[in-house]
Amino acid sequence: MFKKLFVSSVSACFELTNENPYYSPESYEVTLDGKPYGKFATNVFSVYNLLPDTQYTVGAGGFALTFRTRPETASVSVKALGAKADGKSDDTYFVQMAIDRCPEGGRVVFEEGEYLVRPVVLKSGITVELKKGATLLGDICEENYPYIPARVYKGGKEEILASWEGEPFDCHQSFVSAYRQKNICVVGEGTINGNADKSTWWATPKGRKVARPRLVFLNKCSNVRFHGVTCKNSASWNLHPFFCKNLGFYDVKVQNPYTAPNTDGLDPESCDKVDIIGCTFSVGDDCCAIKAGKLYMGKTYKTPANRHTLRNNLFQDGHGAIVLGSEMSGGVKNLSVCQCVFKHTDRGLRIKTRRGRGKDGVIDGVLFENIKMENVITPLVINMYYFCDPDGHTEFVWSRDKNNAVDEGTPYLGKFTFRDIECCDCECMAGYFDGLVEQPIKEILIENVSFSFKSDAKAYQPAMLENVKSYCRAGLYADNVEKLILKNVTFDGVNGEKIIKNKLGELIIE
């Protein structure tokens, strides 16, 4: 069986209904109106180059589903308006004109070619189609990315226009952006290429008075869908939705070199209802980080990351696969993570916070299940001493003084469940759980989870915090955790104790 995930006027995405993480049990043929379309091996598959307002029948694995594409009011070809699409000529005027002139309910079409452009701005009510072989290619000159002020004031009320790492911060305009827009689709087999590998963005990532642009920045937008496109070579984060509602990312591919600094894959920040399904990530930082701002944003706007679903995704070659924080001052709730595969990431499921994130920084009742990890150095990490920000290495952050008090700046980590997870070829340790002295992690349940280690594993530090030692083939470390419950947890290849306890309240092993 399979179900429909998303349909645009020219594309559609579907998901097999099984319990296998990311990959289907066996490869299968897909047909479109009875004709062969392609062979697939993953649980999510897509069809493209469809006609608007047309009924189709798609078949897969002996089952069939009939659907109808969305109607549209018009289609506007960027090439027909004068774009050269040769990768050398500046096509910004033609691209932006096509977007601006496209009527509501219409589609902007990028046919095969490289469209070299400066930053472009999306508007409500349109579909952008990047056909196979079409690339939206970023200008490499920093001066062509104008400054966006962190905030403006309307009638004395603050409006945040630009943000970096959880705080209002002046930024260069992002390569593709939208501000307070709605009902946008970006679809197709083409590519959004920030071209940062040819620029100076990665050479000087730190100490900038104006933050690097995102590849795509969506500010207070709603009903936005990305389907099929490849996003790559971003100057900083690839996809950054900020205070948005009702977003969908389906069968999207996000690619950056592992050495590219701070090039997170997809970081929804203080967003409500985000679906990330069937996507692949290979980046130079965290693959997907769920965020909710730092202290000022959390206290002022009190907007959590809410109703996020991550399913049937592949995360590889990043620092962390799925990450909560460290900017989580608005809190994280109603998060569902299942049927995902992690490969060659430094850490797998990674929760990170620190003193100063605030009392609204609450993460509780989180379930991660049905996940397979391969060659992940440390599969499970919960770190409440993360040494980020300018004061990250100060005693305020790393202190273990038992007299530290819970105050307005103290975050809260409640119950976490890790269930039905297979971790193969680990190196550092199975899991590292480190709660604040004054605010321990409340409960960690690990159920039906197996850890096996490489025979030639190397030593690594399991988490990013001050004074942490390196480990090799270690078990589960728990410090300042009130309750740790292990049900059907197995270890293969651990050196030494399977449970390394330090200020662990209650340990239950079944």
Side-chain angles (χ1 to χ4, degrees):
M1 295 287 290
F2 62 96
K3 61 184 179 182
K4 179 178 65 178
L5 287 175
F6 167 75
V7 176
S8 73
S9 60
V10 291
S11 66
C13 187
F14 305 90
E15 181 182 33
L16 303 186
T17 53
N18 62 46
E19 295 184 355
N20 289 60
Y22 184 69
Y23 297 102
S24 61
E26 56 187 23
S27 61
Y28 57 96
E29 298 281 352
V30 169
T31 61
L32 190 63
D33 286 345
K35 298 179 181 179
Y37 182 83
K39 193 171 185 178
F40 295 83
T42 58
N43 287 333
V44 173
F45 67 93
S46 299
V47 292
Y48 303 98
N49 299 312
L50 307 177
L51 297 175
D53 198 17
T54 301
Q55 182 170 293
Y56 292 93
T57 298
V58 63
F63 298 93
L65 187 152
T66 298
F67 67 98
R68 192 172 195 89
T69 52
R70 295 181 182 178
E72 66 182 26
T73 57
S75 63
V76 180
S77 166
V78 181
K79 275 188 178 180
L81 291 179
K84 300 295 188 295
D86 58 9
K88 299 177 181 179
S89 305
D90 186 347
D91 285 332
T92 309
Y93 172 76
F94 306 105
V95 170
Q96 195 62 60
M97 181 171 62
I99 293 170
D100 292 344
R101 295 291 179 88
C102 184
E104 184 173 356
R107 172 171 48 105
V108 177
V109 183
F110 290 83
E111 290 144 347
E112 184 178 355
E114 289 190 333
Y115 300 79
L116 180 64
V117 295
R118 289 169 278 119
V120 296
V121 179
L122 303 179
K123 73 170 187 178
S124 294
I126 66 168
T127 294
V128 174
E129 182 190 17
L130 290 159
K131 288 186 173 292
K132 189 173 184 177
T135 298
L136 197 61
L137 187 65
D139 189 296
I140 64 173
C141 298
E142 289 193 15
E143 57 266 28
N144 287 334
Y145 292 74
Y147 294 177
I148 303 296
R151 46 167 69 89
V152 295
Y153 293 88
K154 298 179 180 179
K157 185 177 180 180
E158 177 185 72
E159 177 77 355
I160 305 297
L161 297 183
S163 170
W164 177 239
E165 294 187 335
E167 294 182 313
F169 201 89
D170 295 350
C171 294
H172 288 275
Q173 183 175 350
S174 295
F175 181 43
V176 177
S177 65
Y179 170 65
R180 290 195 177 278
Q181 302 298 299
K182 61 184 179 180
N183 303 328
I184 298 171
C185 293
V186 180
V187 306
E189 298 174 275
T191 300
I192 303 173
N193 184 348
N195 218 11
D197 55 330
K198 305 291 195 305
S199 73
T200 55
W201 295 118
W202 296 346
T204 54
K206 299 294 184 181
R208 289 173 173 265
K209 294 183 179 179
V210 178
R212 291 172 290 159
R214 286 356 79 84
L215 186 73
V216 178
F217 182 53
L218 305 173
N219 187 353
K220 303 177 187 70
C221 296
S222 61
N223 303 325
V224 180
R225 303 289 184 269
F226 276 66
H227 172 219
V229 294
T230 296
C231 300
K232 62 189 295 186
N233 293 326
S234 58
S236 59
W237 298 347
N238 283 269
L239 298 162
H240 183 199
F242 180 75
F243 284 81
C244 294
K245 296 182 179 180
N246 194 19
L247 308 178
F249 300 88
Y250 308 105
D251 205 1
V252 172
K253 297 86 177 170
V254 184
Q255 303 167 359
N256 270 60
Y258 180 77
T259 55
N262 304 116
T263 52
D264 289 26
L266 171 51
D267 291 3
E269 183 172 358
S270 294
C271 293
D272 181 35
K273 198 178 187 312
V274 181
D275 289 340
I276 304 169
I277 304 175
C279 299
T280 63
F281 298 85
S282 179
V283 296
D285 207 316
D286 292 329
C287 293
C288 185
I290 311 301
K291 298 180 179 291
K294 290 180 181 172
L295 184 61
Y296 172 77
M297 296 299 292
K299 286 180 63 176
T300 304
Y301 296 98
K302 299 185 184 297
T303 304
N306 185 31
R307 297 193 296 170
H308 292 12
T309 298
L310 290 81
R311 187 174 67 245
N312 274 319
N313 300 299
L314 171 63
F315 303 92
Q316 56 187 0
D317 302 321
H319 292 186
I322 297 176
V323 179
L324 278 58
S326 72
E327 303 94 282
M328 45 70 80
S329 295
V332 178
K333 60 182 184 178
N334 300 317
L335 172 69
S336 173
V337 178
C338 66
Q339 282 185 267
C340 292
V341 172
F342 305 168
K343 293 183 178 181
H344 305 285
T345 59
D346 296 346
R347 298 159 188 94
L349 297 165
R350 181 188 189 195
I351 295 92
K352 52 184 182 178
T353 186
R354 48 152 288 184
R355 290 187 183 96
R357 286 295 183 252
K359 66 178 183 179
D360 295 307
V362 175
I363 306 178
D364 196 7
V366 173
L367 170 64
F368 304 95
E369 65 179 339
N370 197 5
I371 293 168
K372 185 173 183 179
M373 304 192 200
E374 302 173 10
N375 283 287
V376 174
I377 294 173
T378 305
L380 309 177
V381 174
I382 304 179
N383 172 20
M384 297 189 75
Y385 297 89
Y386 183 54
F387 59 25
C388 58
D389 304 334
D391 68 338
H393 296 276
T394 64
E395 185 176 358
F396 170 72
V397 177
W398 56 254
S399 172
R400 306 275 176 160
D401 189 335
K402 65 180 181 181
N403 294 316
N404 287 327
V406 174
D407 58 24
E408 294 290 309
T410 309
Y412 175 91
L413 297 186
K415 181 177 179 179
F416 297 85
T417 300
F418 305 98
R419 178 179 294 146
D420 299 329
I421 301 174
E422 179 184 358
C423 308
C424 303
D425 291 328
C426 312
E427 295 201 58
C428 175
M429 67 192 321
Y432 183 88
F433 311 125
D434 201 353
L436 291 174
V437 174
E438 68 274 24
Q439 186 87 288
I441 301 163
K442 297 305 174 185
E443 182 178 314
I444 300 169
L445 168 62
I446 305 176
E447 182 176 9
N448 300 330
V449 177
S450 63
F451 303 97
S452 64
F453 289 80
K454 288 182 177 179
S455 58
D456 59 347
K458 298 178 182 178
Y460 293 91
Q461 292 180 330
M464 299 175 69
L465 72 159
E466 205 75 10
N467 304 317
V468 66
K469 63 181 288 187
S470 295
Y471 293 87
C472 181
R473 298 171 61 189
L476 294 168
Y477 174 94
D479 191 4
N480 292 304
V481 177
E482 290 191 358
K483 181 184 289 188
L484 176 61
I485 306 169
L486 307 182
K487 296 183 178 181
N488 189 29
V489 178
T490 62
F491 302 86
D492 183 11
V494 168
N495 285 332
E497 298 180 11
K498 294 177 181 178
I499 311 297
I500 306 167
K501 296 178 290 184
N502 187 20
K503 297 179 183 176
L504 171 61
E506 184 178 4
L507 174 64
I508 301 173
I509 300 177
E510 299 180 3

